[in-house]
Amino acid sequence: RERAAVPVERVAGVTRERFLRDIYPRRVPVVLQGMDLGACTTKWTVDYLSQAEGSKEVKIHVSAVPQMDFLSKNFVYRTLPFDVFVRRAAEVKHKEFFISEDEKYYLRSVGEDARRDVADIRKQFPTLAADVQIPEYFEKEQFFSSVFRISSAGLQLWTHYDVMDNLLIQVTGNKRVALYSPRDAPYLYLSGTKSEVLDVDNPDLEKYPLFVKAKCYQCSLEPGDVLFIPALWFHNIISEEFGVALNVFWKHLPAESYDKSDTYGNKDPLAASRAIQILDRALKTLEELPEEYRDFYARRMVLRIQEKAYGKETP
């Protein structure tokens, strides 16, 4: 059977110095409480949001079901004026809709040119950006992106990892977040950066039997809470209510480690991509051998990887 989820530690009143000294080096998720995030936590009502940025067009995900799946793409992309989108996302039943009257909406802000520019709330939503005070837990040159997000009530986002550290700032509404350590990647049935296991509460264990071995860390985020998600930690997020959030990503590794064409913060570091390509070539080379030899040398390669590359401690 599945193990009970481990509560994520909650810490109040964390200064920059304390974060960098006591929390950041541990590389585990932590909920930071009682932070001064500016006027956004009281100001960002549906009325204010819909007026603040007017009718500029935004590209959104629309799904007929609450569990959005990036692998099967069970949603469509649509465009709406921002004010119309906010009001629709806040409704439970829609008079106007694309697919069905109880469809779910999700905005993940992108840069002006989504292929070339990163999301930055200061550029895409300047009026709203003025209401937010982002915790300065990293140097300015490490900043990568600030992603503005709005979710319908009940929406669940697929389990995935990002290659940069980030703070998930919950401004309005409640979220529930399930997290899994990078060490548990073997049990998460990965396809690229995403897990095939969508329903982490009721997984299909016939299809995903190893998932029971994955240790789940869980937290509830209320308005004003900030979740530190270290790079490579898997996360699955359920919006229990209509909610507005902001993700801030920054570069934990030297800048040259990252793929310059990555605007979403989810392309593997360049060295990791090269290593995977080399491994794929090695596996192709093994195909020249008969099965028993292939099996034997593949096991030797696994042992070598474990011996040379696995970390010693487990979170």
Side-chain angles (χ1 to χ4, degrees):
R1 283 306 303 147
E2 297 140 86
R3 297 184 276 191
V6 177
V8 172
E9 183 186 358
R10 308 178 78 86
V11 187
V14 177
T15 61
R16 175 191 169 101
E17 291 70 30
R18 188 179 167 203
F19 178 80
L20 293 175
R21 185 189 67 224
D22 300 337
I23 294 172
Y24 197 53
R26 289 165 46 209
R27 314 298 298 156
V28 296
V30 174
V31 178
L32 309 169
Q33 295 176 290
M35 316 219 38
D36 179 8
L37 300 173
C40 57
T41 48
T42 49
K43 227 173 161 181
W44 285 7
T45 61
V46 172
D47 286 342
Y48 175 76
L49 286 168
S50 55
Q51 287 160 16
E53 297 286 349
S55 57
K56 64 189 248 170
E57 302 256 289
V58 287
K59 190 177 180 184
I60 54 172
H61 302 66
V62 183
S63 173
V65 294
Q67 274 176 347
M68 278 198 183
D69 179 2
F70 199 84
L71 294 173
S72 70
K73 296 282 199 297
N74 67 346
F75 52 82
V76 292
Y77 291 106
R78 292 291 180 265
T79 305
L80 280 176
F82 183 72
D83 51 353
V84 175
F85 157 69
V86 169
R87 296 198 175 280
R88 280 218 213 164
E91 301 168 342
V92 177
K93 288 269 188 266
H94 311 295
K95 289 188 178 68
E96 293 183 50
F97 49 84
F98 295 107
I99 308 167
S100 66
E101 63 175 9
D102 53 1
E103 66 193 13
K104 304 291 183 191
Y105 296 90
Y106 172 54
L107 167 70
R108 184 246 189 250
S109 67
V110 293
E112 284 70 29
D113 178 341
R115 289 168 192 270
R116 286 207 309 247
D117 305 321
V118 298
D120 186 340
I121 190 173
R122 294 166 298 187
K123 293 177 182 172
Q124 287 97 46
F125 300 94
T127 308
L128 296 176
D131 299 333
V132 186
Q133 192 169 308
I134 291 169
E136 293 186 353
Y137 287 164
F138 49 90
E139 301 299 327
K140 283 193 167 39
E141 61 270 18
Q142 289 179 286
F143 170 83
F144 176 71
S145 66
S146 50
V147 181
F148 182 62
R149 301 179 190 270
I150 296 182
S151 306
S152 292
L155 182 81
Q156 183 170 12
L157 281 184
W158 53 89
T159 308
H160 68 284
Y161 70 87
D162 301 293
V163 299
M164 294 184 199
D165 291 342
N166 82 84
L167 294 175
L168 171 55
I169 300 166
Q170 190 63 21
V171 181
T172 72
N174 288 353
K175 277 199 174 86
R176 183 159 63 84
V177 186
L179 300 120
Y180 301 90
S181 161
R183 303 275 173 111
D184 280 347
Y187 315 132
L188 295 177
Y189 298 88
L190 298 187
S191 178
T193 61
K194 299 158 189 76
S195 165
E196 290 179 19
V197 186
L198 286 182
D199 190 343
V200 293
D201 295 315
N202 299 290
D204 180 343
L205 295 180
E206 284 191 11
K207 198 171 180 184
Y208 308 117
L210 294 177
F211 186 69
V212 289
K213 295 186 176 185
K215 185 177 181 181
C216 179
Y217 296 77
Q218 193 164 281
C219 62
S220 292
L221 297 182
E222 296 172 2
D225 284 346
V226 177
L227 173 62
F228 167 51
I229 307 177
L232 310 183
W233 273 78
F234 296 87
H235 42 288
N236 179 291
I237 299 176
I238 298 174
S239 296
E240 297 184 316
E241 304 167 321
F242 165 76
V244 184
L246 180 68
N247 267 112
V248 185
F249 291 88
W250 70 94
K251 296 173 181 177
H252 169 57
L253 306 176
E256 61 273 15
S257 306
Y258 300 98
D259 187 328
K260 287 193 168 42
S261 69
D262 184 8
T263 57
Y264 285 85
N266 59 9
K267 286 191 178 176
D268 292 315
L270 294 171
S273 295
R274 286 200 307 274
I276 288 167
Q277 287 169 355
I278 292 165
L279 177 63
D280 286 341
R281 285 204 297 275
L283 292 170
K284 192 145 188 63
T285 306
L286 281 187
E287 286 174 15
E288 296 170 19
L289 294 167
E291 187 184 358
E292 65 180 303
Y293 282 80
R294 197 165 64 230
D295 179 284
F296 174 70
Y297 286 103
R299 288 174 194 275
R300 278 193 59 189
M301 285 165 68
V302 168
L303 289 170
R304 196 165 171 77
I305 289 171
Q306 283 179 330
E307 180 189 319
K308 295 282 186 187
Y310 275 25
K312 300 290 178 280
E313 290 174 28
T314 310

